[in-house]
Amino acid sequence: SAQIADLQQKLLDADNGDRPRQRWDNIATILEAKCGLKYLLGELVSSKVQESKLQSSLEQSQTSCSEMQKMLIEERNNTAELEAELQNQILVQEQQHQEKV
């Protein structure tokens, strides 16, 4: 645990300059390399899990967006139909009014 913490600190300290070269230079033993690889693999798995969750969320959002677009188109069509119907009723009312006058 202490070695992992020390290795993590070394990796954080190596953030400036020639990072890959410094990181490998700071690893002096096979045990440190093993710990480093375990840490890196853990980070890789964690990032892959997070990527998968984000991808799933994106797909759900895209599906939801498509459904909302379909609903919007349907509502626009319904509105256009109602508008045409109302215009027709107005014309009929105007004609009836003209006939009365």
Side-chain angles (χ1 to χ4, degrees):
S1 169
Q3 287 177 336
I4 291 173
D6 182 45
L7 184 58
Q8 286 175 339
Q9 186 59 44
K10 285 179 183 179
L11 289 172
L12 289 175
D13 291 341
D15 275 344
N16 41 354
D18 187 17
R19 280 192 261 166
R21 177 82 176 153
Q22 286 179 355
R23 285 181 181 157
W24 286 113
D25 288 345
N26 287 335
I27 297 175
T29 66
I30 296 293
L31 183 60
E32 287 179 346
K34 247 177 132 175
C35 290
L37 285 175
K38 279 184 182 180
Y39 172 76
L40 291 174
L41 286 174
E43 290 296 310
L44 176 66
V45 169
S46 175
S47 66
K48 286 291 186 179
V49 167
Q50 185 177 5
E51 178 190 17
S52 176
K53 287 178 182 178
L54 289 172
Q55 184 66 32
S56 175
S57 176
L58 174 64
E59 289 170 0
Q60 287 176 352
S61 294
Q62 287 173 335
T63 300
S64 176
C65 181
S66 294
E67 290 173 2
M68 293 299 283
Q69 286 175 338
K70 287 177 187 176
M71 287 174 54
L72 178 62
I73 290 169
E74 288 175 6
E75 288 302 317
R76 283 183 179 164
N77 290 340
N78 288 341
T79 302
E81 288 175 10
L82 288 173
E83 210 173 294
E85 206 174 293
L86 288 173
Q87 287 295 331
N88 191 27
Q89 287 178 2
I90 288 172
L91 287 174
V92 168
Q93 292 293 328
E94 284 177 357
Q95 287 174 354
Q96 288 176 354
H97 177 72
Q98 289 295 328
E99 288 173 3
K100 288 180 182 179
V101 171

